[in-house]
Amino acid sequence: MIVALMFGLFTAFLALGVPIAFAMGLSAVTVLIIDGGVPLLVLPQRFFSSLDSFPLLAIPLYIFAGNLMNYGGITSAIVGFSRSLVGHIRGGLGQVNIMTSVLFSGISGSASADVAAVGGMMLPAMKKEGYKPEWSVVITAASAILGPIIPPSLLMVIYGAMTGLSIGTLFLAGIVPGLFLAVIMMVLVYWKADEIGAPRHSRASLSETGKVFLKAAPALVMPVIIVGGIQSGLFTPTEAGIVAVAYGLGFGLLSHRLNIRKTYRFALQSAVTSASILIILGSAALFSWIIARQGVPAALAAWLASVTSEPAIILLLIVLALILVGMFVETISALILMVPILTPIAQMFGFDMIHFSVVVIIALLLGSLTPPVALIILLGCKIAEVDYMKTMRPLVPFFMVLIIGLLCIMYVPLITLGLPELLGAFD
């Protein structure tokens, strides 16, 4: 009864336009007041304890580092390097768009940041070369989901902080699935090149590739420093964020693109963005605590076990539910809301938690691509000045190949766990 009332209030608050963090917090506080069985002093304690986590310090640091690197002119260098590598392949700038998202993922860790930075450069360029705008938007948005999969990933930092899983191992586990999804999207662009309107480009010479590689090298080195440093034990994920910020500052100063005023502005922007994430996390902690206190995860697990005893089918049901949630709730909020519910269920059915975490993140990201909300599609439409409804048709083949990719990742754990096992992350 309490949980049903809380979800009802949560839905009502969202329908009234209340921001999701406050909708969760207000609904949790209201049901506790009605219930009367818990002192209200517990609320600020729960809120604070959910944020009193050293790994969560990595969130503002990675956001700040990404802002510094992006302003330093690195996005154009990455686009140039991607063009030299894959621009000659059938699909042209569509292939470049996806490759740029792969490389940019090592800086941003965020799908919306990827769309804003990569789309800001690629969408006008694709329009100029005659690409159909709706296809350009879909390619940009679909490839942007690689940002939170390929490390460093804000979603994985949050997931690790909430569950106690190794963030370094999560980072390693996201590399191959991210590259796998990129490859199948590039195959689709190759196949649909004529429909997209992609002209052919000549292959870049070795010397041209070398020149643009040198320009892009600072960005390509940063994720290697972060993941390599974490796995070698030189620093923790949070300390890696400090290293990333120092690296971004050094790059910006050496490239003469940063000064004290601009650095302060980026620090302020990063603080505001981080604060919004942490407010959601704190409110969701109250929400999730009530759900756990009422025994909802155990009840859901019992219901799933009554439906089927086959773990593969249970995993499929969980993924379908995650995609549905991702369709209506912003990805970070959905992750914070769902992880406390799903973690006990995954443990009960014996899923590998690292593999399960990657599947959860990808499923929510696929939901974020899907109407009616589809925030990253909307952002791409705004940049390209494209009617949102025109993107529905080209979105279908991309969504289908990404679903196929997710199914492969779900049922072939080696895709996720092979690299961490190879590098001894489970030792």
Side-chain angles (χ1 to χ4, degrees):
M1 177 64 183
I2 290 294
V3 173
L5 176 61
M6 186 171 66
F7 273 101
L9 289 170
F10 175 61
T11 304
F13 283 134
L14 288 180
L16 292 171
V18 177
I20 189 165
F22 298 106
M24 285 191 287
L26 286 171
S27 56
V29 170
T30 303
V31 297
L32 286 179
I33 292 173
I34 293 172
D35 181 55
V38 178
L40 292 183
L41 184 62
V42 171
L43 298 179
Q45 291 174 343
R46 286 281 168 181
F47 191 98
F48 178 79
S49 62
S50 68
L51 304 180
D52 187 19
S53 169
F54 184 65
L56 287 179
L57 284 174
I59 293 175
L61 293 171
Y62 287 140
I63 292 173
F64 188 28
N67 285 338
L68 292 173
M69 289 292 291
N70 187 36
Y71 186 82
I74 207 64
T75 306
S76 59
I78 289 177
V79 170
F81 182 52
S82 301
R83 188 191 291 262
S84 71
L85 288 179
V86 298
H88 61 281
I89 299 175
R90 177 180 160 88
L93 290 185
Q95 308 286 9
V96 174
N97 197 325
I98 297 170
M99 177 60 71
T100 300
S101 291
V102 170
L103 299 178
F104 193 78
S105 298
I107 299 174
S108 69
S110 162
S112 57
D114 195 312
V115 171
V118 177
M121 292 198 66
M122 292 301 306
L123 289 173
M126 294 175 79
K127 182 179 181 180
K128 187 177 179 180
E129 290 202 11
Y131 288 76
K132 294 180 180 177
E134 60 273 19
W135 279 95
S136 301
V137 168
V138 170
I139 292 171
T140 303
S143 61
I145 70 168
L146 301 175
I149 302 172
I150 299 173
S153 162
L154 294 181
L155 293 183
M156 290 180 181
V157 171
I158 294 170
Y159 204 115
M162 293 179 70
T163 59
L165 293 173
S166 166
I167 295 173
T169 304
L170 287 172
F171 281 180
L172 284 178
I175 293 174
V176 176
L179 295 176
F180 175 67
L181 294 177
V183 168
I184 63 175
M185 284 191 283
M186 292 178 78
V187 171
L188 177 63
V189 169
Y190 184 94
W191 179 42
K192 292 281 189 178
D194 291 337
E195 189 174 348
I196 293 170
R200 295 183 179 273
H201 293 268
S202 59
R203 183 189 294 267
S205 67
L206 192 60
S207 62
E208 290 172 339
T209 303
K211 289 177 182 178
V212 291
F213 170 76
L214 290 176
K215 292 181 180 179
L220 305 179
V221 167
M222 192 170 84
V224 176
I225 293 173
I226 292 172
V227 178
I230 294 170
Q231 288 307 122
S232 65
L234 287 176
F235 36 73
T236 67
T238 303
E239 292 165 347
I242 298 172
V243 172
V245 168
Y247 186 85
L249 279 171
F251 174 77
L253 293 172
L254 289 174
S255 63
H256 303 292
R257 292 176 178 268
L258 283 180
N259 55 36
I260 293 176
R261 181 177 295 178
K262 291 175 182 176
T263 303
Y264 171 77
R265 188 172 79 243
F266 290 138
L268 187 61
Q269 290 174 354
S270 302
V272 171
T273 303
S274 303
S276 65
I277 294 173
L278 294 175
I279 290 172
I280 294 171
L281 184 58
S283 298
L286 302 178
F287 201 85
S288 302
W289 176 67
I290 295 172
I291 290 172
R293 187 170 178 268
Q294 296 295 316
V296 172
L300 282 175
W303 176 78
L304 286 170
S306 70
V307 172
T308 177
S309 60
E310 181 57 49
I313 298 176
I314 289 169
L315 183 59
L316 181 61
L317 292 174
I318 290 172
V319 165
L320 290 174
L322 287 167
I323 292 174
L324 184 63
V325 170
M327 288 169 60
F328 296 97
V329 183
E330 188 270 331
T331 308
I332 291 177
S333 305
L335 184 76
I336 294 168
L337 181 64
M338 297 301 294
V339 166
I341 299 172
L342 295 177
T343 298
I345 296 174
Q347 291 170 337
M348 187 172 295
F349 288 101
F351 297 132
D352 181 277
M353 296 309 296
I354 295 293
H355 175 232
F356 183 75
S357 66
V358 174
V359 170
V360 168
I361 288 170
I362 295 174
L364 287 174
L365 288 168
L366 289 189
S368 73
L369 268 179
T370 312
V373 180
L375 289 175
I376 53 178
I377 295 277
L378 285 169
L379 181 56
C381 288
K382 184 177 180 180
I383 294 171
E385 298 180 346
V386 172
D387 182 1
Y388 174 67
M389 295 307 298
K390 289 183 178 179
T391 63
M392 296 300 102
R393 182 173 172 272
L395 178 61
V396 172
F398 272 90
F399 187 76
M400 293 307 297
V401 298
L402 287 170
I403 287 290
I404 293 170
L406 176 57
L407 290 172
C408 293
I409 292 166
M410 286 165 56
Y411 296 122
V412 185
L414 186 64
I415 296 174
T416 301
L417 303 178
L419 185 60
E421 288 177 354
L422 180 66
L423 298 179
F426 298 115
D427 294 342

